[in-house]
Amino acid sequence: MAHDRVTLADVAHRAGLSKTTVSLVLNGREGTRLSAEAHQRVFAAAEELGYRPNVAARSLRTRKTATIAFVSDIVATTRFAGGMIRGALDAAREHDHVLLIAETQGDATFEKHAIDAMLDRQVDGVIYAAMATRRLTVPAALHAGPVVLLNATSADGLPCVLPDDERGGRTAATALLSQGHRDRIAVIGRNQLKETDPEVSLAADARLNGIRAALADVGAKLLRAASCPEWLPEHGYTAMRSLLRRAVRPTAVVCMNDRLAFGAYQALADAGLIVPDDISVVSFDDDPIAAWLRPGLSTVALPHETMGRRAVDLLLDGQTTGTTLVPMSLRRRRSVAAPA
Amino acid sequence: MAHDRVTLADVAHRAGLSKTTVSLVLNGREGTRLSAEAHQRVFAAAEELGYRPNVAARSLRTRKTATIAFVSDIVATTRFAGGMIRGALDAAREHDHVLLIAETQGDATFEKHAIDAMLDRQVDGVIYAAMATRRLTVPAALHAGPVVLLNATSADGLPCVLPDDERGGRTAATALLSQGHRDRIAVIGRNQLKETDPEVSLAADARLNGIRAALADVGAKLLRAASCPEWLPEHGYTAMRSLLRRAVRPTAVVCMNDRLAFGAYQALADAGLIVPDDISVVSFDDDPIAAWLRPGLSTVALPHETMGRRAVDLLLDGQTTGTTLVPMSLRRRRSVAAPA
DNA sequence: CTGTTAGCGCTTTCAC
DNA sequence: GTGAAAGCGCTAACAG
């Protein structure tokens, strides 16, 4: 790449000025009163030659590369959270920065190589992202410079951005309450491990708390909560079936994520039940599938894109601490209605 | 980042040798017989100080950055093709390279900025990726150095990697033929625009040709092919319904992608028909949803990960021309069975 | 076998 | 107002 790129010296020569002058002008330095004519000449020459600065050379002096590292455990390539990258990319562009990405795949060796590779390239900071919202411990090498955690927290109080799952939980429950559901609301997707181990998930516990809090606010409580070993469609299917077998059926369920809800839909269909006439469903994430389901699934969206943006904003603003909670909002579709 | 990094000079000082020697040793240069002891001293010093080379500085001399640009129209953040990045990332890591990513979002201004930004950082080459398999025209700026097209072709014969959709089409049809389907196979997802405009899609036409060729091989032809304005679930739904209304029903359908198949499943369920007992379904892409459907959807997978790998391999091998076709293989699930 | 010297392209004192 | 010169950290000729 960059075969015989035009250099600053070329521009200076063409403009009949020194490199210093050209540099000053091109960087729009204040306070240094260069003649209007010099400005003209410099711009003209740069334009004619198609000059573009060599970032590597520049960064050697300035120690800034306008490059941010985005390292994730696995998120980068997952359908689920491409949104985080997209948001980061957008924000980076707005700040004239660029993203270097790497994935550790949860492998310590890969992680070390990845981080070294980024640091060797003198990135201005790193965004360390996790696929599942959770607590993690940041590799020591990263403490050398600015870091912000994305979709994760750490014990050492690094700045981080997280979805506001607790309020999200309230939002989900409220969507049901406001339609008149109250004492026959069930949850699908309780999970001991996710709820108790913050290194596995921060979302499960927060969502559940939010749901319960919203119910408590109106003096109601959960009819039942079905456990699921994982949050996959098949588990949602099984959980819904078991819910339907009981004497008192829920009028509405909140699924801990959209994949569970997908499974729940299948169980409902098998039972000849109609959503939302017989049972309302609300869920979390706003996976693309939520829009494809019939009827469309109302779900509290994970604000991936915004989260990604925030992460780079924090990094570039030099925020060095604190948690940023990004609100989750309800995507209303047709899966929620008043109880029969 | 990189606050007070150890430099080559520091290592040289510590080892009591010159920078040259240290550089030579650390880069494992052949042909230069430095004493074993010098090697020892250098390695020891580098190790003790935790020396890491400054890539920016090095690249200023060598004109190599070990960095590849991955620019895409929109693919980077799409659930659909994260696999391409993942593959590229893996291959890059194996070659000790790193990926700089950018998204143009189909906007010419963004594209220009993105490409300039990458070029300014002296990337060694660029991978230009498209979300939909199609023909496109490469921005002139890219012709300055190595480029490979990913999931796209261009008129100017740049090296490119594409999925082998035509053979994929044969594979899909063969999956049905081998179960005994023959004269009552229908297609869902014909699309005039996609089939005729290579700038929109290369896949539609190729898949269809493959399907027809496989049928022709056994002297059969398509029962019917339903058109869809887009390849979305709702269109699959509608198409399937119209297929079912006709006097002679297909025993099997091949959907042009998994989302159409998803819609088709819904229509089948509404009609009280069972997959695969009443009708077999096969499709393309291997979207995550294919595994979640009940029964699991047999689909010809888009080899995104392999494609990503190939792209960086080609780039790094200095391949400057030619089309690389990556085979698509059938993911067998439960949606295909012998006709009733 | 090893060290000196000269840049790569840029920014930045500091003189003029 | 503008330019000369030094130097960021590294590699590559070229001596010794």
mmCIF file of all heavy atoms in Angstrom, chain B residues 7-47:
data_model
loop_
_atom_site.group_PDB
_atom_site.id
_atom_site.type_symbol
_atom_site.label_atom_id
_atom_site.label_comp_id
_atom_site.label_asym_id
_atom_site.label_seq_id
_atom_site.Cartn_x
_atom_site.Cartn_y
_atom_site.Cartn_z
ATOM 1 N N THR B 7 12.569 1.115 25.015
ATOM 2 C CA THR B 7 12.943 1.178 23.608
ATOM 3 C C THR B 7 14.106 0.251 23.290
ATOM 4 O O THR B 7 14.739 -0.291 24.196
ATOM 5 C CB THR B 7 13.352 2.593 23.191
ATOM 6 O OG1 THR B 7 14.676 2.835 23.686
ATOM 7 C CG2 THR B 7 12.396 3.631 23.759
ATOM 8 N N LEU B 8 14.364 0.173 22.018
ATOM 9 C CA LEU B 8 15.474 -0.649 21.560
ATOM 10 C C LEU B 8 16.761 -0.175 22.215
ATOM 11 O O LEU B 8 17.602 -0.972 22.617
ATOM 12 C CB LEU B 8 15.619 -0.501 20.048
ATOM 13 C CG LEU B 8 15.738 -1.714 19.161
ATOM 14 C CD1 LEU B 8 16.608 -1.366 17.962
ATOM 15 C CD2 LEU B 8 16.347 -2.891 19.899
ATOM 16 N N ALA B 9 16.887 1.118 22.304
ATOM 17 C CA ALA B 9 18.088 1.707 22.885
ATOM 18 C C ALA B 9 18.260 1.261 24.335
ATOM 19 O O ALA B 9 19.378 0.960 24.779
ATOM 20 C CB ALA B 9 18.016 3.231 22.804
ATOM 21 N N ASP B 10 17.160 1.200 25.048
ATOM 22 C CA ASP B 10 17.233 0.749 26.434
ATOM 23 C C ASP B 10 17.777 -0.672 26.509
ATOM 24 O O ASP B 10 18.635 -0.981 27.331
ATOM 25 C CB ASP B 10 15.840 0.766 27.081
ATOM 26 C CG ASP B 10 15.287 2.178 27.192
ATOM 27 O OD1 ASP B 10 16.097 3.131 27.283
ATOM 28 O OD2 ASP B 10 14.053 2.337 27.168
ATOM 29 N N VAL B 11 17.263 -1.500 25.629
ATOM 30 C CA VAL B 11 17.693 -2.886 25.627
ATOM 31 C C VAL B 11 19.184 -2.958 25.292
ATOM 32 O O VAL B 11 19.952 -3.666 25.934
ATOM 33 C CB VAL B 11 16.897 -3.726 24.614
ATOM 34 C CG1 VAL B 11 17.406 -5.149 24.565
ATOM 35 C CG2 VAL B 11 15.419 -3.699 24.961
ATOM 36 N N ALA B 12 19.568 -2.206 24.277
ATOM 37 C CA ALA B 12 20.960 -2.209 23.848
ATOM 38 C C ALA B 12 21.855 -1.785 25.012
ATOM 39 O O ALA B 12 22.878 -2.418 25.295
ATOM 40 C CB ALA B 12 21.147 -1.247 22.676
ATOM 41 N N HIS B 13 21.453 -0.753 25.687
ATOM 42 C CA HIS B 13 22.219 -0.247 26.812
ATOM 43 C C HIS B 13 22.356 -1.315 27.878
ATOM 44 O O HIS B 13 23.449 -1.628 28.360
ATOM 45 C CB HIS B 13 21.538 1.002 27.378
ATOM 46 C CG HIS B 13 22.324 1.640 28.465
ATOM 47 N ND1 HIS B 13 21.896 1.652 29.775
ATOM 48 C CD2 HIS B 13 23.530 2.262 28.443
ATOM 49 C CE1 HIS B 13 22.806 2.261 30.520
ATOM 50 N NE2 HIS B 13 23.813 2.651 29.728
ATOM 51 N N ARG B 14 21.247 -1.890 28.219
ATOM 52 C CA ARG B 14 21.218 -2.921 29.242
ATOM 53 C C ARG B 14 22.104 -4.111 28.875
ATOM 54 O O ARG B 14 22.801 -4.682 29.710
ATOM 55 C CB ARG B 14 19.770 -3.415 29.400
ATOM 56 C CG ARG B 14 19.614 -4.628 30.273
ATOM 57 C CD ARG B 14 19.555 -4.209 31.727
ATOM 58 N NE ARG B 14 19.080 -5.274 32.575
ATOM 59 C CZ ARG B 14 18.247 -5.091 33.587
ATOM 60 N NH1 ARG B 14 17.785 -3.886 33.842
ATOM 61 N NH2 ARG B 14 17.894 -6.100 34.357
ATOM 62 N N ALA B 15 22.064 -4.453 27.596
ATOM 63 C CA ALA B 15 22.834 -5.614 27.157
ATOM 64 C C ALA B 15 24.293 -5.251 26.885
ATOM 65 O O ALA B 15 25.126 -6.119 26.656
ATOM 66 C CB ALA B 15 22.201 -6.196 25.901
ATOM 67 N N GLY B 16 24.573 -3.971 26.897
ATOM 68 C CA GLY B 16 25.933 -3.531 26.609
ATOM 69 C C GLY B 16 26.298 -3.757 25.155
ATOM 70 O O GLY B 16 27.429 -4.091 24.827
ATOM 71 N N LEU B 17 25.310 -3.609 24.286
ATOM 72 C CA LEU B 17 25.560 -3.821 22.858
ATOM 73 C C LEU B 17 24.938 -2.661 22.096
ATOM 74 O O LEU B 17 24.289 -1.802 22.683
ATOM 75 C CB LEU B 17 24.904 -5.135 22.414
ATOM 76 C CG LEU B 17 25.526 -6.408 23.011
ATOM 77 C CD1 LEU B 17 24.624 -7.600 22.825
ATOM 78 C CD2 LEU B 17 26.884 -6.656 22.348
ATOM 79 N N SER B 18 25.114 -2.676 20.799
ATOM 80 C CA SER B 18 24.540 -1.577 20.027
ATOM 81 C C SER B 18 23.089 -1.865 19.620
ATOM 82 O O SER B 18 22.644 -3.003 19.656
ATOM 83 C CB SER B 18 25.349 -1.353 18.762
ATOM 84 O OG SER B 18 25.037 -2.372 17.851
ATOM 85 N N LYS B 19 22.414 -0.853 19.235
ATOM 86 C CA LYS B 19 21.033 -1.010 18.776
ATOM 87 C C LYS B 19 20.974 -1.973 17.596
ATOM 88 O O LYS B 19 20.084 -2.792 17.483
ATOM 89 C CB LYS B 19 20.451 0.339 18.359
ATOM 90 C CG LYS B 19 20.247 1.309 19.512
ATOM 91 C CD LYS B 19 19.346 2.467 19.105
ATOM 92 C CE LYS B 19 19.897 3.206 17.877
ATOM 93 N NZ LYS B 19 18.947 4.225 17.384
ATOM 94 N N THR B 20 21.945 -1.823 16.719
ATOM 95 C CA THR B 20 21.974 -2.696 15.549
ATOM 96 C C THR B 20 21.955 -4.153 15.960
ATOM 97 O O THR B 20 21.151 -4.944 15.471
ATOM 98 C CB THR B 20 23.259 -2.464 14.741
ATOM 99 O OG1 THR B 20 23.403 -1.085 14.543
ATOM 100 C CG2 THR B 20 23.198 -3.198 13.446
ATOM 101 N N THR B 21 22.852 -4.478 16.808
ATOM 102 C CA THR B 21 22.950 -5.865 17.242
ATOM 103 C C THR B 21 21.624 -6.345 17.802
ATOM 104 O O THR B 21 21.124 -7.408 17.461
ATOM 105 C CB THR B 21 24.021 -5.988 18.334
ATOM 106 O OG1 THR B 21 25.207 -5.380 17.853
ATOM 107 C CG2 THR B 21 24.267 -7.437 18.665
ATOM 108 N N VAL B 22 21.095 -5.528 18.664
ATOM 109 C CA VAL B 22 19.834 -5.909 19.283
ATOM 110 C C VAL B 22 18.755 -6.101 18.219
ATOM 111 O O VAL B 22 18.034 -7.096 18.221
ATOM 112 C CB VAL B 22 19.388 -4.844 20.299
ATOM 113 C CG1 VAL B 22 18.010 -5.174 20.834
ATOM 114 C CG2 VAL B 22 20.397 -4.757 21.423
ATOM 115 N N SER B 23 18.695 -5.179 17.318
ATOM 116 C CA SER B 23 17.697 -5.273 16.256
ATOM 117 C C SER B 23 17.882 -6.552 15.458
ATOM 118 O O SER B 23 16.937 -7.297 15.218
ATOM 119 C CB SER B 23 17.817 -4.055 15.344
ATOM 120 O OG SER B 23 17.001 -4.212 14.212
ATOM 121 N N LEU B 24 19.111 -6.800 15.089
ATOM 122 C CA LEU B 24 19.421 -8.000 14.310
ATOM 123 C C LEU B 24 18.977 -9.261 15.064
ATOM 124 O O LEU B 24 18.308 -10.133 14.508
ATOM 125 C CB LEU B 24 20.936 -8.062 14.050
ATOM 126 C CG LEU B 24 21.430 -7.653 12.669
ATOM 127 C CD1 LEU B 24 20.462 -6.707 11.972
ATOM 128 C CD2 LEU B 24 22.814 -7.026 12.751
ATOM 129 N N VAL B 25 19.372 -9.332 16.298
ATOM 130 C CA VAL B 25 19.027 -10.517 17.085
ATOM 131 C C VAL B 25 17.520 -10.667 17.229
ATOM 132 O O VAL B 25 16.956 -11.721 16.963
ATOM 133 C CB VAL B 25 19.656 -10.438 18.493
ATOM 134 C CG1 VAL B 25 19.091 -11.548 19.380
ATOM 135 C CG2 VAL B 25 21.164 -10.534 18.396
ATOM 136 N N LEU B 26 16.895 -9.605 17.633
ATOM 137 C CA LEU B 26 15.465 -9.676 17.886
ATOM 138 C C LEU B 26 14.659 -10.010 16.631
ATOM 139 O O LEU B 26 13.598 -10.630 16.707
ATOM 140 C CB LEU B 26 14.983 -8.359 18.505
ATOM 141 C CG LEU B 26 14.748 -8.355 20.028
ATOM 142 C CD1 LEU B 26 15.488 -9.424 20.763
ATOM 143 C CD2 LEU B 26 15.013 -6.981 20.593
ATOM 144 N N ASN B 27 15.166 -9.596 15.506
ATOM 145 C CA ASN B 27 14.443 -9.907 14.293
ATOM 146 C C ASN B 27 14.885 -11.226 13.697
ATOM 147 O O ASN B 27 14.489 -11.583 12.599
ATOM 148 C CB ASN B 27 14.602 -8.785 13.274
ATOM 149 C CG ASN B 27 13.882 -7.540 13.737
ATOM 150 O OD1 ASN B 27 12.840 -7.621 14.369
ATOM 151 N ND2 ASN B 27 14.455 -6.386 13.458
ATOM 152 N N GLY B 28 15.762 -11.906 14.459
ATOM 153 C CA GLY B 28 16.181 -13.232 14.011
ATOM 154 C C GLY B 28 16.744 -13.240 12.608
ATOM 155 O O GLY B 28 16.487 -14.147 11.839
ATOM 156 N N ARG B 29 17.517 -12.224 12.302
ATOM 157 C CA ARG B 29 18.088 -12.157 10.962
ATOM 158 C C ARG B 29 19.052 -13.300 10.693
ATOM 159 O O ARG B 29 19.942 -13.579 11.496
ATOM 160 C CB ARG B 29 18.825 -10.834 10.787
ATOM 161 C CG ARG B 29 17.923 -9.680 10.544
ATOM 162 C CD ARG B 29 16.867 -10.035 9.507
ATOM 163 N NE ARG B 29 16.186 -8.842 9.039
ATOM 164 C CZ ARG B 29 16.797 -7.887 8.327
ATOM 165 N NH1 ARG B 29 18.062 -8.029 7.995
ATOM 166 N NH2 ARG B 29 16.139 -6.837 7.960
ATOM 167 N N GLU B 30 18.901 -13.883 9.553
ATOM 168 C CA GLU B 30 19.783 -14.964 9.141
ATOM 169 C C GLU B 30 21.080 -14.361 8.608
ATOM 170 O O GLU B 30 21.169 -13.163 8.365
ATOM 171 C CB GLU B 30 19.156 -15.739 7.978
ATOM 172 C CG GLU B 30 17.719 -16.158 8.181
ATOM 173 C CD GLU B 30 17.627 -17.460 8.955
ATOM 174 O OE1 GLU B 30 18.377 -18.389 8.600
ATOM 175 O OE2 GLU B 30 16.833 -17.531 9.911
ATOM 176 N N GLY B 31 22.052 -15.241 8.398
ATOM 177 C CA GLY B 31 23.234 -14.813 7.665
ATOM 178 C C GLY B 31 24.189 -13.915 8.433
ATOM 179 O O GLY B 31 25.342 -13.756 8.064
ATOM 180 N N THR B 32 23.737 -13.391 9.540
ATOM 181 C CA THR B 32 24.605 -12.503 10.276
ATOM 182 C C THR B 32 25.055 -13.228 11.524
ATOM 183 O O THR B 32 24.276 -13.384 12.456
ATOM 184 C CB THR B 32 23.875 -11.205 10.642
ATOM 185 O OG1 THR B 32 24.524 -10.634 11.775
ATOM 186 C CG2 THR B 32 22.426 -11.456 10.999
ATOM 187 N N ARG B 33 26.248 -13.668 11.541
ATOM 188 C CA ARG B 33 26.692 -14.516 12.649
ATOM 189 C C ARG B 33 27.092 -13.735 13.891
ATOM 190 O O ARG B 33 28.234 -13.373 14.080
ATOM 191 C CB ARG B 33 27.866 -15.400 12.197
ATOM 192 C CG ARG B 33 27.515 -16.295 11.028
ATOM 193 C CD ARG B 33 27.970 -17.723 11.253
ATOM 194 N NE ARG B 33 27.764 -18.530 10.048
ATOM 195 C CZ ARG B 33 28.683 -18.611 9.075
ATOM 196 N NH1 ARG B 33 29.832 -17.991 9.165
ATOM 197 N NH2 ARG B 33 28.429 -19.357 8.009
ATOM 198 N N LEU B 34 26.105 -13.554 14.715
ATOM 199 C CA LEU B 34 26.398 -12.884 15.984
ATOM 200 C C LEU B 34 26.697 -13.982 16.988
ATOM 201 O O LEU B 34 26.133 -15.073 16.917
ATOM 202 C CB LEU B 34 25.184 -12.079 16.435
ATOM 203 C CG LEU B 34 24.814 -10.929 15.493
ATOM 204 C CD1 LEU B 34 23.523 -10.257 15.922
ATOM 205 C CD2 LEU B 34 25.946 -9.916 15.448
ATOM 206 N N SER B 35 27.528 -13.682 17.942
ATOM 207 C CA SER B 35 27.920 -14.694 18.915
ATOM 208 C C SER B 35 26.706 -15.172 19.701
ATOM 209 O O SER B 35 25.761 -14.421 19.929
ATOM 210 C CB SER B 35 28.935 -14.120 19.883
ATOM 211 O OG SER B 35 28.337 -13.102 20.646
ATOM 212 N N ALA B 36 26.804 -16.416 20.100
ATOM 213 C CA ALA B 36 25.725 -16.987 20.902
ATOM 214 C C ALA B 36 25.540 -16.147 22.160
ATOM 215 O O ALA B 36 24.431 -15.966 22.653
ATOM 216 C CB ALA B 36 26.057 -18.428 21.277
ATOM 217 N N GLU B 37 26.652 -15.648 22.633
ATOM 218 C CA GLU B 37 26.583 -14.881 23.862
ATOM 219 C C GLU B 37 25.791 -13.579 23.653
ATOM 220 O O GLU B 37 24.983 -13.184 24.485
ATOM 221 C CB GLU B 37 27.990 -14.545 24.357
ATOM 222 C CG GLU B 37 28.006 -14.131 25.813
ATOM 223 C CD GLU B 37 29.070 -13.076 26.067
ATOM 224 O OE1 GLU B 37 30.136 -13.134 25.410
ATOM 225 O OE2 GLU B 37 28.825 -12.171 26.885
ATOM 226 N N ALA B 38 26.013 -12.972 22.512
ATOM 227 C CA ALA B 38 25.292 -11.737 22.210
ATOM 228 C C ALA B 38 23.790 -12.036 22.211
ATOM 229 O O ALA B 38 22.998 -11.300 22.784
ATOM 230 C CB ALA B 38 25.735 -11.189 20.866
ATOM 231 N N HIS B 39 23.460 -13.145 21.561
ATOM 232 C CA HIS B 39 22.045 -13.537 21.544
ATOM 233 C C HIS B 39 21.507 -13.602 22.965
ATOM 234 O O HIS B 39 20.471 -13.025 23.287
ATOM 235 C CB HIS B 39 21.883 -14.913 20.889
ATOM 236 C CG HIS B 39 21.746 -14.850 19.412
ATOM 237 N ND1 HIS B 39 22.827 -14.691 18.564
ATOM 238 C CD2 HIS B 39 20.656 -14.907 18.616
ATOM 239 C CE1 HIS B 39 22.400 -14.667 17.317
ATOM 240 N NE2 HIS B 39 21.085 -14.795 17.321
ATOM 241 N N GLN B 40 22.222 -14.338 23.769
ATOM 242 C CA GLN B 40 21.816 -14.495 25.161
ATOM 243 C C GLN B 40 21.554 -13.154 25.815
ATOM 244 O O GLN B 40 20.505 -12.913 26.382
ATOM 245 C CB GLN B 40 22.935 -15.185 25.969
ATOM 246 C CG GLN B 40 22.916 -16.686 25.853
ATOM 247 C CD GLN B 40 21.519 -17.230 26.085
ATOM 248 O OE1 GLN B 40 20.793 -16.749 26.953
ATOM 249 N NE2 GLN B 40 21.113 -18.200 25.275
ATOM 250 N N ARG B 41 22.566 -12.302 25.715
ATOM 251 C CA ARG B 41 22.494 -11.016 26.406
ATOM 252 C C ARG B 41 21.292 -10.208 25.926
ATOM 253 O O ARG B 41 20.548 -9.629 26.713
ATOM 254 C CB ARG B 41 23.781 -10.215 26.180
ATOM 255 C CG ARG B 41 25.002 -10.869 26.812
ATOM 256 C CD ARG B 41 25.777 -9.900 27.699
ATOM 257 N NE ARG B 41 26.264 -8.732 26.987
ATOM 258 C CZ ARG B 41 27.414 -8.701 26.302
ATOM 259 N NH1 ARG B 41 28.153 -9.800 26.221
ATOM 260 N NH2 ARG B 41 27.778 -7.610 25.695
ATOM 261 N N VAL B 42 21.114 -10.222 24.623
ATOM 262 C CA VAL B 42 20.000 -9.464 24.062
ATOM 263 C C VAL B 42 18.669 -9.993 24.558
ATOM 264 O O VAL B 42 17.842 -9.249 25.076
ATOM 265 C CB VAL B 42 20.018 -9.515 22.519
ATOM 266 C CG1 VAL B 42 18.725 -8.952 21.946
ATOM 267 C CG2 VAL B 42 21.224 -8.734 22.007
ATOM 268 N N PHE B 43 18.504 -11.285 24.433
ATOM 269 C CA PHE B 43 17.230 -11.865 24.861
ATOM 270 C C PHE B 43 16.980 -11.598 26.335
ATOM 271 O O PHE B 43 15.877 -11.247 26.745
ATOM 272 C CB PHE B 43 17.188 -13.368 24.574
ATOM 273 C CG PHE B 43 17.007 -13.678 23.121
ATOM 274 C CD1 PHE B 43 17.830 -14.580 22.462
ATOM 275 C CD2 PHE B 43 15.989 -13.039 22.393
ATOM 276 C CE1 PHE B 43 17.658 -14.849 21.109
ATOM 277 C CE2 PHE B 43 15.817 -13.304 21.047
ATOM 278 C CZ PHE B 43 16.648 -14.211 20.399
ATOM 279 N N ALA B 44 18.028 -11.763 27.119
ATOM 280 C CA ALA B 44 17.893 -11.562 28.556
ATOM 281 C C ALA B 44 17.449 -10.132 28.840
ATOM 282 O O ALA B 44 16.489 -9.889 29.581
ATOM 283 C CB ALA B 44 19.213 -11.866 29.254
ATOM 284 N N ALA B 45 18.165 -9.200 28.223
ATOM 285 C CA ALA B 45 17.848 -7.791 28.482
ATOM 286 C C ALA B 45 16.424 -7.455 28.041
ATOM 287 O O ALA B 45 15.669 -6.809 28.768
ATOM 288 C CB ALA B 45 18.851 -6.896 27.759
ATOM 289 N N ALA B 46 16.078 -7.941 26.872
ATOM 290 C CA ALA B 46 14.745 -7.645 26.346
ATOM 291 C C ALA B 46 13.687 -8.205 27.286
ATOM 292 O O ALA B 46 12.707 -7.545 27.628
ATOM 293 C CB ALA B 46 14.587 -8.249 24.956
ATOM 294 N N GLU B 47 13.941 -9.400 27.703
ATOM 295 C CA GLU B 47 13.022 -10.082 28.601
ATOM 296 C C GLU B 47 12.874 -9.305 29.910
ATOM 297 O O GLU B 47 11.765 -8.996 30.359
ATOM 298 C CB GLU B 47 13.568 -11.493 28.873
ATOM 299 C CG GLU B 47 12.851 -12.259 29.959
ATOM 300 C CD GLU B 47 11.556 -12.856 29.431
ATOM 301 O OE1 GLU B 47 11.299 -12.743 28.210
ATOM 302 O OE2 GLU B 47 10.819 -13.418 30.254
#
